[in-house]
Amino acid sequence: MRIQVELTDALQDYIADVSPNEPDVLRELRKRTDELPLRLMQISPEQGQFLNVLVRALGVRRAIEVGVFTGYSLISTALALPEGGTIVGCDDNPEWTSIAMEFCERAGVTDKVDMRVGDAVATLTELVASGSAETYDFVFIDADKQNYETYFELALTLLRTGGLIVVDNVLWHGAVIDDSAQDEETTALRAFNLRFTDDKRLDLSLLPFADGLTFAVKR
Ligand SMILES: C[S@@+](CC[C@H](N)C(=O)[O-])C[C@H]1O[C@@H](n2cnc3c(N)ncnc32)[C@H](O)[C@@H]1O
C-alpha cells in the first residue's frame, strides 16, 4: 500500500491557512477573474506560490509560459524573476491577455514580460527560428491539451541543458484513467503522459499536485 494523504476540502483549507499570504495584486486578479465564465482555468494560489518558490530556487532568468489566461501564473513567475529576468507569455486570446497586462502593470513586472498574442505553436516556432534555441531556463505549459506534445518538443529545443519544463493538468481531474472519457483533451493527455516516459533527452517526474504536474529536466 502506498502512503498518500487524501486531500479533503478541509485539508486544502488548512494548507491555504498555513501558506504565505497571497500578494494583494494576485488576490485582486483572482477576484477579477471570478467574473469570467472560464474562471476555473486559473491556477490556485498554492500553485502560484509553488511556481514562485521554484523559479527562485532554480535562479531562473529566462522563462516562457504557454497559456497565460488572465495572468495568475505569469505574474507569480515574473515576481520571482531577478532584476533583468524575462518571461515570454504565449496566449491567443487578446481579451484575457489585456487583463493580464493590466495586472502586470499593477504588479510592477511589465518590464519583465514579453507578451505574444497569437497561436503558441507559431510563437514558439518563431523563437526557435530567431536563434533562441537552448537559451531558456524554464517553461510552464498550461494551454490547449491537444498541442501538449508539440509545445513540449518546442520547449525542449528552447531550453538550455539543465532547464526545466513544468506541465499542468496531466491527471485531468482523474479522467486519464477513466476509460469512458474519450474526448479529444483526455485522449491527448493520455498520449502525452506515455510519450516521454523513456525519453533519453530528459529526466521526468509526475507529481499529484493540483491537477497533476509533470516535471522534466533537459539532459
Ligand atoms: C488553462 S488556461 C491558462 C491558465 C493560466 N496559466 C493561469 O494561471 O491563469 C489556458 C490558456 O491557453 C490559451 N490557449 C489555448 N489554445 C491556445 C493556442 N493554440 N495558442 C495560444 N494560447 C492558447 C487560452 O486562451 C487560455 O488562456
Side-chain angles (χ1 to χ4, degrees):
M1 170 158 158
R2 300 173 193 154
I3 297 177
Q4 174 71 56
V5 67
E6 187 193 344
L7 270 184
T8 58
D9 286 351
L11 198 50
Q12 294 206 40
D13 288 345
Y14 172 79
I15 293 169
D17 286 347
V18 299
S19 292
N21 285 336
E22 189 178 26
D24 288 346
V25 64
L26 290 176
R27 189 173 330 107
E28 284 159 24
L29 175 57
R30 214 151 39 81
K31 233 170 104 188
R32 172 74 176 275
T33 306
D34 272 348
E35 297 163 12
L36 301 174
L38 289 175
R39 60 186 174 278
L40 290 179
M41 291 204 300
Q42 187 172 58
I43 63 163
S44 67
E46 291 73 38
Q47 205 177 337
Q49 186 64 35
F50 176 68
L51 280 177
N52 184 293
V53 167
L54 192 66
V55 165
R56 285 184 198 277
L58 297 174
V60 171
R61 295 190 65 82
R62 282 168 59 78
I64 298 174
E65 176 165 296
V66 184
V68 173
F69 189 36
T70 56
Y72 199 103
S73 48
L74 181 98
I75 295 170
S76 300
T77 303
L79 286 169
L81 293 172
E83 194 68 33
T86 55
I87 178 163
V88 177
C90 310
D91 203 291
D92 61 0
N93 186 304
E95 183 197 334
W96 295 334
T97 47
S98 73
I99 297 174
M101 287 314 293
E102 179 194 325
F103 279 82
C104 282
E105 181 80 41
R106 291 207 211 172
V109 296
T110 308
D111 57 333
K112 293 178 175 172
V113 176
D114 174 3
M115 188 71 78
R116 310 274 180 112
V117 183
D119 177 62
V121 172
T123 301
L124 297 178
T125 305
E126 276 161 27
L127 288 176
V128 173
S130 67
S132 296
E134 306 201 343
T135 65
Y136 287 89
D137 308 306
F138 179 72
V139 182
F140 180 54
I141 300 177
D142 185 19
D144 50 323
K145 313 311 166 199
Q146 295 88 328
N147 272 321
Y148 264 25
E149 281 192 40
T150 310
Y151 294 143
F152 193 90
E153 281 293 348
L154 285 162
L156 261 184
T157 304
L158 287 161
L159 274 190
R160 63 167 169 82
T161 300
L164 175 72
I165 307 175
V166 177
V167 188
D168 200 11
N169 305 115
V170 296
L171 296 180
W172 206 226
H173 328 297
V176 285
I177 57 162
D178 175 0
D179 288 343
S180 69
Q182 292 299 336
D183 58 281
E184 249 190 289
E185 289 177 314
T186 309
T187 312
L189 282 165
R190 276 192 202 112
F192 172 79
N193 286 338
L194 285 172
R195 169 77 179 78
F196 300 99
T197 314
D198 291 317
D199 196 313
K200 300 287 176 275
R201 297 171 299 171
L202 46 98
D203 292 295
L204 195 133
S205 168
L206 195 167
L207 279 189
F209 174 49
D211 193 23
L213 290 176
T214 288
F215 292 77
V217 176
K218 181 170 171 176
R219 285 184 184 164

